[in-house]
Amino acid sequence: MKNRKIITGLGMMAVMMAVATGCSKNVATTTQSSEATTTIPESTMSEEEKKLSDYKTYGMQKDPIPGIVELVKNYQYSKVNADARRMYNVFGRSDEDGLADLQTKLNDEAKVYESFDDTVTYVTKGYEPNSYVVFISSNVKFHDIDTKAPMLTWAYVMENPKDAFYMVENDKMTEDEKKYVDEVSKSEDIIALDAQMRKDLAAAVTSDIQLGTLYSIWVKNASTNETAAAAETSAAETSSAESSEEESTVESISETTKNEANISIAETKSGN
């Protein structure tokens, strides 16, 4: 199974993706021709749909869709309990390819992650119909460390069929989808949420030497791995690499090690 970076994202460390509160805009599609015009009048939308369709006006919506809340819970459960099959289900997969390798990675992660608490999803419509951009904030409890660490990640979610949700793996997202997520992540509420999460994380790391040590190790490993990767990156790939770096977040610190688990909850830039 290919390594995947997880913006979240759902990575966890101090630099997790910039999660914010914003809502994506799902513009009513109008197709005009000499023969007919197809339009979806805004007046036919419920208040909930309007808010989910226009994050610039209404901001990200807090826990608006029970199915997405449950999806995130399953993702987090899979990490804490090393459940590879459930993790595959989270990404809409029913195959066995790479499942054994993922199980091994999750076994290692389960030794680190004890729980995800106070999780909140901030949701807006995605780039295409039946898709959503989801930012996830949580407080992460690590084994043998008392202080919880704020984590911010994001995921791109599809609904197919109705009321059946799954996360799209990063390497399967289109360029338009990635650009749209980037646009949402730059909204004012997302930036504000990210800033607050980073502030809370800094306080947590400073107050607990064990947590601070853990993060220091992750940051060092991330820096080392990024340097090695950069040395192997060709000039043609430079632009793509820079874009990827901007998407990393607090979670991405640990993602350097955990990415290999093929968990693609993305992280937004959180000022690592």
Side-chain angles (χ1 to χ4, degrees):
M1 187 167 175
K2 299 180 180 178
N3 295 339
R4 298 187 181 84
K5 197 163 178 166
I6 169 164
I7 195 151
T8 299
L10 297 171
M12 61 146 321
M13 308 307 73
V15 196
M16 318 221 109
M17 58 179 132
V19 173
T21 49
C23 230
S24 107
K25 187 172 185 178
N26 189 10
V27 181
T29 302
T30 303
T31 304
Q32 295 185 335
S33 68
S34 59
E35 299 180 355
T37 299
T38 302
T39 307
I40 302 176
E42 184 177 284
S43 60
T44 65
M45 300 171 65
S46 67
E47 283 301 311
E48 291 73 16
E49 290 174 322
K50 289 179 182 180
K51 291 178 180 179
L52 278 171
S53 298
D54 189 354
Y55 72 89
K56 292 181 180 179
T57 300
Y58 300 102
M60 297 285 278
Q61 299 302 296
K62 182 177 178 180
D63 292 334
I65 303 177
I68 291 180
V69 172
E70 189 64 25
L71 182 69
V72 171
K73 286 182 179 179
N74 284 331
Y75 172 87
Q76 295 176 339
Y77 177 93
S78 299
K79 290 178 74 70
V80 172
N81 295 280
D83 191 332
R85 171 48 64 193
R86 181 175 296 201
M87 185 65 82
Y88 260 27
N89 291 340
V90 166
F91 290 102
R93 297 182 59 171
S94 59
D95 61 290
E96 301 290 327
D97 183 33
L99 187 62
D101 289 338
L102 175 58
Q103 184 62 66
T104 298
K105 299 299 181 181
L106 289 178
N107 288 341
D108 290 337
E109 291 188 13
K111 298 175 183 178
V112 178
Y113 296 95
E114 181 175 328
S115 67
F116 290 83
D117 305 309
D118 309 312
T119 297
V120 178
T121 63
Y122 298 91
V123 183
T124 186
K125 286 293 184 67
Y127 178 76
E128 61 273 283
N130 303 317
S131 69
Y132 302 87
V133 176
V134 184
F135 287 90
I136 306 150
S137 67
S138 297
N139 286 318
V140 183
K141 174 70 170 61
F142 301 105
H143 285 293
D144 302 321
I145 296 179
D146 294 331
T147 304
K148 297 178 182 178
M151 176 183 86
L152 225 49
T153 58
W154 63 257
Y156 198 76
V157 174
M158 297 295 297
E159 180 182 12
N160 185 26
K162 183 175 175 56
D163 296 325
F165 301 91
Y166 68 90
M167 295 179 184
V168 180
E169 296 169 272
N170 281 11
D171 63 354
K172 294 181 180 178
M173 289 178 62
T174 67
E175 288 305 310
D176 285 333
E177 291 169 345
K178 292 176 181 178
K179 289 179 181 178
Y180 189 77
V181 171
D182 184 59
E183 176 186 324
V184 175
S185 72
K186 293 176 181 177
S187 65
E188 291 184 4
D189 2 354
I190 300 251
I191 293 174
L193 177 58
D194 179 47
Q196 184 60 53
M197 295 290 282
R198 283 187 286 166
K199 181 179 179 180
D200 293 343
L201 178 61
V205 170
T206 301
S207 68
D208 192 318
I209 188 171
Q210 289 182 304
L211 182 62
T213 299
L214 178 63
Y215 270 90
S216 295
I217 293 173
W218 274 329
V219 171
K220 182 178 180 180
N221 288 342
S223 177
T224 299
N225 290 342
E226 287 176 2
T227 300
E232 299 175 358
T233 301
S234 65
E237 297 173 319
T238 299
S239 177
S240 175
E242 291 175 348
S243 175
S244 176
E245 180 179 356
E246 291 180 354
E247 292 178 346
S248 68
T249 57
V250 178
E251 168 176 348
S252 67
I253 294 184
S254 68
E255 282 305 286
T256 302
T257 305
K258 302 180 306 171
N259 267 348
E260 301 173 358
N262 290 318
I263 298 173
S264 63
I265 283 193
E267 303 104 16
T268 19
K269 185 174 184 181
S270 135
N272 202 359

mmCIF file of all heavy atoms in Angstrom, residues 4-23:
data_model
loop_
_atom_site.group_PDB
_atom_site.id
_atom_site.type_symbol
_atom_site.label_atom_id
_atom_site.label_comp_id
_atom_site.label_asym_id
_atom_site.label_seq_id
_atom_site.Cartn_x
_atom_site.Cartn_y
_atom_site.Cartn_z
ATOM 1 N N ARG A 4 0.775 7.486 2.424
ATOM 2 C CA ARG A 4 -0.072 8.635 2.201
ATOM 3 C C ARG A 4 0.083 9.607 3.332
ATOM 4 O O ARG A 4 0.164 9.204 4.456
ATOM 5 C CB ARG A 4 -1.531 8.216 2.089
ATOM 6 C CG ARG A 4 -1.765 7.296 0.922
ATOM 7 C CD ARG A 4 -3.236 7.032 0.746
ATOM 8 N NE ARG A 4 -3.457 6.145 -0.347
ATOM 9 C CZ ARG A 4 -3.387 4.848 -0.230
ATOM 10 N NH1 ARG A 4 -3.103 4.295 0.916
ATOM 11 N NH2 ARG A 4 -3.621 4.079 -1.271
ATOM 12 N N LYS A 5 0.044 10.884 3.041
ATOM 13 C CA LYS A 5 0.242 11.864 4.099
ATOM 14 C C LYS A 5 -0.929 12.180 4.980
ATOM 15 O O LYS A 5 -1.606 12.512 4.966
ATOM 16 C CB LYS A 5 0.692 13.146 3.491
ATOM 17 C CG LYS A 5 1.286 13.970 4.575
ATOM 18 C CD LYS A 5 2.086 15.040 4.030
ATOM 19 C CE LYS A 5 2.566 15.785 5.187
ATOM 20 N NZ LYS A 5 3.499 16.644 5.141
ATOM 21 N N ILE A 6 -1.772 12.161 5.454
ATOM 22 C CA ILE A 6 -2.927 12.405 6.095
ATOM 23 C C ILE A 6 -3.203 13.294 6.467
ATOM 24 O O ILE A 6 -2.618 14.153 6.612
ATOM 25 C CB ILE A 6 -3.663 12.349 6.896
ATOM 26 C CG1 ILE A 6 -4.947 13.372 6.866
ATOM 27 C CG2 ILE A 6 -4.519 13.071 7.056
ATOM 28 C CD1 ILE A 6 -5.214 13.379 7.006
ATOM 29 N N ILE A 7 -2.840 16.103 5.945
ATOM 30 C CA ILE A 7 -4.327 16.813 5.928
ATOM 31 C C ILE A 7 -4.354 16.493 5.689
ATOM 32 O O ILE A 7 -4.104 16.161 5.138
ATOM 33 C CB ILE A 7 -4.390 17.921 5.074
ATOM 34 C CG1 ILE A 7 -5.351 18.919 5.003
ATOM 35 C CG2 ILE A 7 -4.555 18.654 4.969
ATOM 36 C CD1 ILE A 7 -5.290 20.027 4.686
ATOM 37 N N THR A 8 -5.158 16.890 9.522
ATOM 38 C CA THR A 8 -5.457 16.044 9.838
ATOM 39 C C THR A 8 -4.733 16.030 9.269
ATOM 40 O O THR A 8 -4.452 17.331 8.643
ATOM 41 C CB THR A 8 -4.777 16.351 8.973
ATOM 42 O OG1 THR A 8 -5.453 16.766 8.689
ATOM 43 C CG2 THR A 8 -5.387 16.350 10.001
ATOM 44 N N GLY A 9 -6.446 16.357 7.435
ATOM 45 C CA GLY A 9 -6.189 15.557 8.192
ATOM 46 C C GLY A 9 -6.989 15.671 8.919
ATOM 47 O O GLY A 9 -5.738 18.198 8.878
ATOM 48 N N LEU A 10 -5.983 11.729 9.638
ATOM 49 C CA LEU A 10 -6.133 12.729 10.647
ATOM 50 C C LEU A 10 -4.917 12.712 11.517
ATOM 51 O O LEU A 10 -5.022 12.157 12.559
ATOM 52 C CB LEU A 10 -7.241 12.384 11.565
ATOM 53 C CG LEU A 10 -8.570 12.303 10.979
ATOM 54 C CD1 LEU A 10 -9.459 11.733 11.999
ATOM 55 C CD2 LEU A 10 -9.007 13.612 10.550
ATOM 56 N N GLY A 11 -3.773 13.217 11.199
ATOM 57 C CA GLY A 11 -2.542 13.216 11.962
ATOM 58 C C GLY A 11 -2.686 13.905 13.261
ATOM 59 O O GLY A 11 -3.668 14.501 13.523
ATOM 60 N N MET A 12 -1.719 13.884 14.087
ATOM 61 C CA MET A 12 -2.060 14.440 15.340
ATOM 62 C C MET A 12 -1.112 15.433 15.902
ATOM 63 O O MET A 12 -1.475 16.277 16.572
ATOM 64 C CB MET A 12 -2.159 13.331 16.301
ATOM 65 C CG MET A 12 -0.916 12.647 16.415
ATOM 66 S SD MET A 12 -0.880 12.179 18.021
ATOM 67 C CE MET A 12 -1.564 13.604 18.647
ATOM 68 N N MET A 13 -0.020 15.537 15.781
ATOM 69 C CA MET A 13 0.914 16.346 16.487
ATOM 70 C C MET A 13 0.615 17.808 16.573
ATOM 71 O O MET A 13 -0.445 18.269 16.331
ATOM 72 C CB MET A 13 2.253 16.171 15.816
ATOM 73 C CG MET A 13 2.560 14.764 15.690
ATOM 74 S SD MET A 13 2.476 13.804 17.110
ATOM 75 C CE MET A 13 0.912 13.614 17.487
ATOM 76 N N ALA A 14 1.635 18.527 16.948
ATOM 77 C CA ALA A 14 1.449 19.929 17.213
ATOM 78 C C ALA A 14 1.272 20.758 15.989
ATOM 79 O O ALA A 14 0.881 21.884 16.072
ATOM 80 C CB ALA A 14 2.654 20.421 17.953
ATOM 81 N N VAL A 15 1.609 20.293 14.856
ATOM 82 C CA VAL A 15 1.470 21.145 13.702
ATOM 83 C C VAL A 15 0.352 20.691 12.820
ATOM 84 O O VAL A 15 0.426 20.818 11.643
ATOM 85 C CB VAL A 15 2.730 21.117 12.875
ATOM 86 C CG1 VAL A 15 2.740 22.251 11.922
ATOM 87 C CG2 VAL A 15 3.909 21.150 13.800
ATOM 88 N N MET A 16 -0.661 20.028 13.315
ATOM 89 C CA MET A 16 -1.693 19.431 12.510
ATOM 90 C C MET A 16 -2.205 20.414 11.510
ATOM 91 O O MET A 16 -2.082 21.538 11.650
ATOM 92 C CB MET A 16 -2.864 19.079 13.354
ATOM 93 C CG MET A 16 -2.416 18.530 14.539
ATOM 94 S SD MET A 16 -3.235 17.207 15.134
ATOM 95 C CE MET A 16 -2.195 16.057 14.899
ATOM 96 N N MET A 17 -2.849 20.025 10.585
ATOM 97 C CA MET A 17 -3.299 20.929 9.583
ATOM 98 C C MET A 17 -4.122 22.038 10.124
ATOM 99 O O MET A 17 -4.772 21.926 11.109
ATOM 100 C CB MET A 17 -4.180 20.189 8.664
ATOM 101 C CG MET A 17 -5.242 19.665 9.454
ATOM 102 S SD MET A 17 -6.187 18.890 8.321
ATOM 103 C CE MET A 17 -6.458 17.691 8.794
ATOM 104 N N ALA A 18 -4.091 23.098 9.427
ATOM 105 C CA ALA A 18 -4.845 24.239 9.877
ATOM 106 C C ALA A 18 -6.297 23.921 9.737
ATOM 107 O O ALA A 18 -6.829 23.875 8.687
ATOM 108 C CB ALA A 18 -4.509 25.401 8.988
ATOM 109 N N VAL A 19 -6.937 23.703 10.829
ATOM 110 C CA VAL A 19 -8.355 23.433 10.755
ATOM 111 C C VAL A 19 -9.074 24.689 11.112
ATOM 112 O O VAL A 19 -8.700 25.360 12.008
ATOM 113 C CB VAL A 19 -8.754 22.390 11.764
ATOM 114 C CG1 VAL A 19 -10.232 22.271 11.768
ATOM 115 C CG2 VAL A 19 -8.102 21.095 11.411
ATOM 116 N N ALA A 20 -10.102 24.972 10.475
ATOM 117 C CA ALA A 20 -10.783 26.172 10.837
ATOM 118 C C ALA A 20 -12.235 25.962 10.748
ATOM 119 O O ALA A 20 -12.692 24.877 10.586
ATOM 120 C CB ALA A 20 -10.383 27.269 9.902
ATOM 121 N N THR A 21 -12.946 27.032 10.864
ATOM 122 C CA THR A 21 -14.378 26.904 10.755
ATOM 123 C C THR A 21 -14.792 27.610 9.494
ATOM 124 O O THR A 21 -14.809 28.795 9.445
ATOM 125 C CB THR A 21 -15.024 27.617 11.926
ATOM 126 O OG1 THR A 21 -14.464 28.887 12.021
ATOM 127 C CG2 THR A 21 -14.796 26.857 13.181
ATOM 128 N N GLY A 22 -15.148 26.922 8.504
ATOM 129 C CA GLY A 22 -15.541 27.583 7.302
ATOM 130 C C GLY A 22 -16.513 26.703 6.618
ATOM 131 O O GLY A 22 -16.695 25.606 7.010
ATOM 132 N N CYS A 23 -17.154 27.107 5.608
ATOM 133 C CA CYS A 23 -18.103 26.238 4.951
ATOM 134 C C CYS A 23 -17.923 26.354 3.469
ATOM 135 O O CYS A 23 -17.821 27.422 2.960
ATOM 136 C CB CYS A 23 -19.502 26.611 5.335
ATOM 137 S SG CYS A 23 -20.446 25.218 5.877
#
